Amino acid sequence: MSKENSYPDNFIRYIGTGGGRFSMIRQQRGTGGIWIGCRGLSGIIDPGPGSLAHICAANPTLLSDELDFVMLTHKHVDHSTDANVLIECMTQGGFEKKGTIIAPSDALFGDDRVIMEYSQRRAERIHIPRDGSVIDIGNGLAAEAVEHLHHGVECYGYIFRAPGVPEWGMISDSRMLPSFAQRYKNCEFISMNVTFPDRKKHLDHISIEEAKELLSQLNAKNAVFTHLGAMMTSPEGRHFLEDLDTERTDVTAARDGMVVDLETHEISFCGENFPASAPWQR
Ligand SMILES: [Zn+2]
């Protein structure tokens, strides 16, 4: 990590980089989502199984009770199982009405909701993304929702804008959509959920092959592929994650604990004190 063992001013840290059911079941990679530290705010996107444990173990320290927002792209279990516990962290054990939840409507309402009503009542604000809506997260940080297509659930990617931070985007689980080339064209950095090496027509997931095609139409200088399926993270499949650069874009395969500086796009790797030892245990 950097000289003084701290995070850049504006950064993301990959808490977990596994994707798909077998990567999750075997915990070949963590499934804790992405931590964002930006404009003095802290947020978590898609906190799947193990997210809180890995946040508490993170080195340098991340403080779960200083979260300002909890954001879901969609409600599948590998993206959402720790959402309620992280809302509990954000709201100081539910004692303080605080923070923002950003989640699609089917994650919040209906019989199959994944964010409990109890948790929803604890947050100060709830935003429900719609395609093209711009969510004001606070301190100048805004997120534009981009509609995805993903196995019958509502799913959104986001484009983040903040003063002093180059525009960046995240593409979540989705069938590759023609609209992405237009919507993400101004992003200088993109984090993409890339689950398989080759395209699979019957599945609403992006492959390495399709991700590279998309990057050839965008202007991103740097990209990270994450949410990596078991086929690519097993020892026999690791070669799929080598030589990913395209003509325009430097591409890095994500690893758990990887940090991206959102201003310079410099990448570094951080450790964990595992088993989890949060600062108050040390
Ligand atoms: Zn999914």
Side-chain angles (χ1 to χ4, degrees), residues 73-79 150-151 153 155 172-174 204-205 227:
T73 64
H74 66 293
K75 69 177 191 176
H76 283 158
V77 286
D78 52 333
H79 296 253
H150 184 51
H151 292 307
V153 296
C155 184
S172 183
D173 293 3
S174 181
D204 291 344
H205 279 285
H227 201 262

Side-chain angles (χ1 to χ4, degrees), residues 73-152:
T73 64
H74 66 293
K75 69 177 191 176
H76 283 158
V77 286
D78 52 333
H79 296 253
S80 68
T81 54
D82 269 15
N84 291 291
V85 289
L86 286 167
I87 293 166
E88 190 85 349
C89 298
M90 178 172 78
T91 58
Q92 313 294 312
F95 287 119
E96 222 179 290
K97 201 170 170 67
K98 180 178 158 275
T100 301
I101 298 171
I102 301 158
S105 61
D106 65 353
L108 296 163
F109 309 115
D111 292 341
D112 232 5
R113 76 191 66 181
V114 295
I115 299 184
M116 299 184 298
E117 275 181 30
Y118 168 89
S119 306
Q120 296 184 37
R121 284 196 296 271
R122 298 293 175 278
E124 204 173 7
R125 280 172 300 274
I126 297 178
H127 290 289
I128 300 166
R130 302 265 176 264
D131 190 34
S133 65
V134 176
I135 297 157
D136 176 5
I137 301 176
N139 290 4
L141 175 63
E144 178 185 324
V146 180
E147 190 170 35
H148 285 21
L149 181 63
H150 184 51
H151 292 307

Side-chain angles (χ1 to χ4, degrees), residues 51-69:
S51 189
L52 177 59
H54 287 283
I55 289 168
C56 288
N59 179 22
T61 301
L62 296 172
L63 293 173
S64 58
D65 58 342
E66 289 187 359
L67 276 170
D68 297 289
F69 62 98

Side-chain angles (χ1 to χ4, degrees):
M1 195 54 213
S2 62
K3 345 130 211 153
E4 58 287 287
N5 199 33
S6 62
Y7 293 104
D9 288 345
N10 298 295
F11 72 98
I12 56 173
R13 175 178 172 131
Y14 288 87
I15 304 297
T17 58
R21 60 197 72 189
F22 296 106
S23 195
M24 178 191 72
I25 291 167
R26 301 170 192 146
Q27 287 291 294
Q28 264 180 350
R29 296 283 187 102
T31 42
I34 299 174
W35 181 283
I36 303 180
C38 191
R39 301 281 298 171
L41 297 178
S42 298
I44 184 84
I45 309 181
D46 286 354
S51 189
L52 177 59
H54 287 283
I55 289 168
C56 288
N59 179 22
T61 301
L62 296 172
L63 293 173
S64 58
D65 58 342
E66 289 187 359
L67 276 170
D68 297 289
F69 62 98
V70 173
M71 185 175 211
L72 298 190
T73 64
H74 66 293
K75 69 177 191 176
H76 283 158
V77 286
D78 52 333
H79 296 253
S80 68
T81 54
D82 269 15
N84 291 291
V85 289
L86 286 167
I87 293 166
E88 190 85 349
C89 298
M90 178 172 78
T91 58
Q92 313 294 312
F95 287 119
E96 222 179 290
K97 201 170 170 67
K98 180 178 158 275
T100 301
I101 298 171
I102 301 158
S105 61
D106 65 353
L108 296 163
F109 309 115
D111 292 341
D112 232 5
R113 76 191 66 181
V114 295
I115 299 184
M116 299 184 298
E117 275 181 30
Y118 168 89
S119 306
Q120 296 184 37
R121 284 196 296 271
R122 298 293 175 278
E124 204 173 7
R125 280 172 300 274
I126 297 178
H127 290 289
I128 300 166
R130 302 265 176 264
D131 190 34
S133 65
V134 176
I135 297 157
D136 176 5
I137 301 176
N139 290 4
L141 175 63
E144 178 185 324
V146 180
E147 190 170 35
H148 285 21
L149 181 63
H150 184 51
H151 292 307
V153 296
E154 283 183 59
C155 184
Y156 294 90
Y158 297 95
I159 297 165
F160 293 91
R161 300 187 184 97
V165 181
E167 187 167 314
W168 68 280
M170 74 155 300
I171 297 178
S172 183
D173 293 3
S174 181
R175 180 165 288 270
M176 181 57 80
L177 299 178
S179 55
F180 290 169
Q182 175 64 24
R183 299 292 296 280
Y184 288 95
K185 72 175 189 308
N186 294 325
C187 292
E188 292 190 26
F189 168 74
I190 299 193
S191 178
M192 296 178 71
N193 287 9
V194 177
T195 311
F196 301 109
D198 309 308
R199 76 180 78 224
K200 293 189 185 296
K201 273 199 194 135
H202 58 294
L203 293 178
D204 291 344
H205 279 285
I206 292 170
S207 61
I208 290 180
E209 192 186 350
E210 294 162 293
K212 285 181 155 187
E213 276 171 24
L214 176 66
L215 287 172
S216 71
Q217 302 169 63
L218 299 176
N219 300 299
K221 294 182 192 128
N222 295 276
V224 167
F225 292 172
T226 187
H227 201 262
L228 305 164
M231 201 185 286
M232 300 188 288
T233 54
S234 62
E236 313 76 56
R238 283 191 197 137
H239 64 94
F240 289 119
L241 301 179
E242 290 161 7
D243 301 323
L244 295 171
D245 291 352
T246 66
E247 219 166 279
R248 292 185 182 183
T249 313
D250 288 347
V251 182
T252 306
R255 278 165 36 196
D256 293 0
M258 197 172 97
V259 171
V260 180
D261 185 322
L262 290 174
E263 291 176 49
T264 63
H265 304 138
E266 199 180 311
I267 287 174
S268 49
F269 293 93
C270 298
E272 286 192 353
N273 302 310
F274 217 80
S277 69
W280 45 89
Q281 295 173 319
R282 285 173 204 150

